[in-house]
Amino acid sequence: MSKFFSAKYAALTPYVPGEQPKDAQYIKLNTNESPFPPPASVAEAAKAEAEKLHLYSDPESALLTEKMAQVLGVERNQVLMTNGSDEALNFAFMAFCDQTHPIVFPDITYGFYSVFAALNGIPYKTVPLKEDFSVDYRDYVGIGQNIVIANPNAPTGMALSVAKIEEIVKSNPQNVVIIDEAYVDFGGESCVSLIKKYDNLLVTQTFSKSRSFAGARLGFSIGNEKLIADLNTVKYSTNPYNVNRMTAAAGYAALCETEWFKNNCAAIQEARTYTAAELKKLGFTVLDSKTNFLFAKSDKISGQKLYKKLKERGVLVRWFNAARIEDFVRITIGRKEQMDVFLCKTAEILEEEK
Ligand SMILES: *Cc1c(COP(=O)(O)O)cnc(C)c1O
């Protein structure tokens, strides 16, 4: 740390992204990227924009926002496009939380929430997941605080119904409830339709996972027009051109690829069902996932050891050194052939442990 670093950030522990190793070719099942590149039309749209890189992007991302609103069945002023959904989440923390408006979220969830809180000087409280790693919606009913819940949750993969989300939103009318739907396209239920009924619901989604855009950085928020206007105030005070030209054009093209998108999500879900069944045959406990990853543990090997031994064999999964989940590994769903390699190596490792 330099002597110039602001005291307000001195104690900050930044978010740690999953490994992106450059030393070897791994089967990468550790950062929930899609194994499928986007369709050709998306790359072509980005390429066409590359000739205009000397010009600023449209700060409103008007065409993309319009199309996104149409796809979601909401109004254009109820959507804000962002540089990944991490930016949407940070804007929401900045806009709606402060010293006197703390935020509450599950003890086991996306690691960025506590980082955004710390970055912005926002006090936060965590609520333990139940024994079975589900979110008990009753823990959030009428608590009178801002709330952020990933639904489906990460890294557990488990989802809450829209009816339960609605109970949380309805019972906290003086607070903003943020529902992070990063994984919703893989079988969860989206609560986007509730934004017309409740002015305190903000939903975030991303192109990173289900639309194969992790490297393009595109996400969005959906909510009441006043919430979106507040997010815009924060956006225009930090980074007006938050979505770059190539990504905006690629995003628009991606939204036109309805069939591709459906098939992409279906392929991941099929590989997930297969992998979960095979893991169970190997004796793993596998949580019920509605995402593009599985959270699984074996009583024959520790999570850390399995992670290490898989890495030695060229397969990367994610292990979290955190209370309650240190026995688990998180496995991104890749192509079926990749999952077969993962399963084969895992079986080998378990055999060695005997
Ligand atoms: C991946 C992820 C995000 C955001 O990813 P972006 O790439 O910034 O859109 C947000 N929330 C959760 C729970 C995630 O797993």
Side-chain angles (χ1 to χ4, degrees), residues 123-135:
Y124 65 91
K125 264 200 326 234
T126 59
V127 178
L129 295 182
K130 287 199 292 195
E131 255 331 274
D132 66 356
F133 296 100
S134 63
V135 170

Side-chain angles (χ1 to χ4, degrees), residues 25-29 274-275 278-279 282 284 298 300-302 305-317 329 331 336-354:
Q25 285 285 328
Y26 289 95
I27 294 188
K28 263 191 99 271
L29 307 177
Y274 166 75
T275 308
E278 293 299 311
L279 279 173
L282 292 173
F284 276 80
S298 163
K300 300 190 190 81
I301 190 167
S302 77
K305 198 164 179 195
L306 178 58
Y307 154 77
K308 279 194 175 150
K309 294 202 157 222
L310 280 169
K311 188 171 176 184
E312 285 163 18
R313 287 166 171 75
V315 179
L316 269 188
V317 297
V329 290
I331 308 131
K336 166 121 187 330
E337 315 86 79
Q338 295 178 308
M339 302 324 288
D340 277 329
V341 175
F342 157 75
L343 288 163
C344 178
K345 304 283 178 199
T346 300
E348 247 174 62
I349 293 164
L350 289 184
E351 199 55 38
E352 270 179 23
E353 288 299 298
K354 274 190 181 158

Side-chain angles (χ1 to χ4, degrees), residues 84-86 89 110 113 150 154 180 182-183 206 208-209 217-218:
S85 62
D86 287 336
L89 289 162
Y110 188 37
Y113 303 150
D180 176 351
Y183 297 102
T206 180
S208 291
K209 280 98 189 198
R217 315 304 303 129
L218 188 61

Side-chain angles (χ1 to χ4, degrees), residues 70-238:
Q70 188 197 324
V71 168
L72 294 164
V74 301
E75 301 300 320
R76 191 184 141 158
N77 61 2
Q78 294 171 327
V79 179
L80 173 68
M81 304 306 297
T82 53
N83 190 317
S85 62
D86 287 336
E87 186 181 60
L89 289 162
N90 189 34
F91 284 173
F93 274 64
M94 291 170 79
F96 307 119
C97 305
D98 56 34
Q99 198 68 53
T100 51
H101 300 88
I103 190 152
V104 178
F105 47 85
D107 63 340
I108 296 164
T109 190
Y110 188 37
F112 234 133
Y113 303 150
S114 56
V115 177
F116 288 141
L119 176 71
N120 296 303
I122 299 159
Y124 65 91
K125 264 200 326 234
T126 59
V127 178
L129 295 182
K130 287 199 292 195
E131 255 331 274
D132 66 356
F133 296 100
S134 63
V135 170
D136 189 341
Y137 80 100
R138 289 167 298 192
D139 291 338
Y140 300 88
V141 167
I143 62 169
Q145 313 229 278
N146 289 342
I147 295 165
V148 58
I149 293 176
N151 189 43
N153 195 13
T156 64
M158 295 167 71
L160 279 178
S161 68
V162 169
K164 287 174 180 168
I165 296 291
E166 182 166 10
E167 288 305 314
I168 297 172
V169 175
K170 184 165 67 179
S171 65
N172 293 289
Q174 301 306 321
N175 302 94
V176 177
V177 177
I178 305 164
I179 304 297
D180 176 351
E181 295 188 338
Y183 297 102
V184 76
D185 299 321
F186 300 107
E189 274 183 81
S190 174
C191 65
V192 163
S193 61
L194 295 180
I195 65 130
K196 294 177 182 171
K197 204 163 152 195
Y198 300 100
D199 65 2
N200 64 324
L201 170 63
L202 188 77
V203 185
T204 62
Q205 290 188 15
T206 180
F207 281 50
S208 291
K209 280 98 189 198
S210 58
R211 293 187 191 271
S212 302
F213 260 54
R217 315 304 303 129
L218 188 61
F220 52 104
S221 282
I222 316 102
N224 177 278
E225 49 277 13
K226 289 191 177 160
L227 292 184
I228 297 300
D230 294 340
L231 295 183
N232 265 307
T233 300
V234 173
K235 170 188 134 155
Y236 281 96
S237 307
T238 53

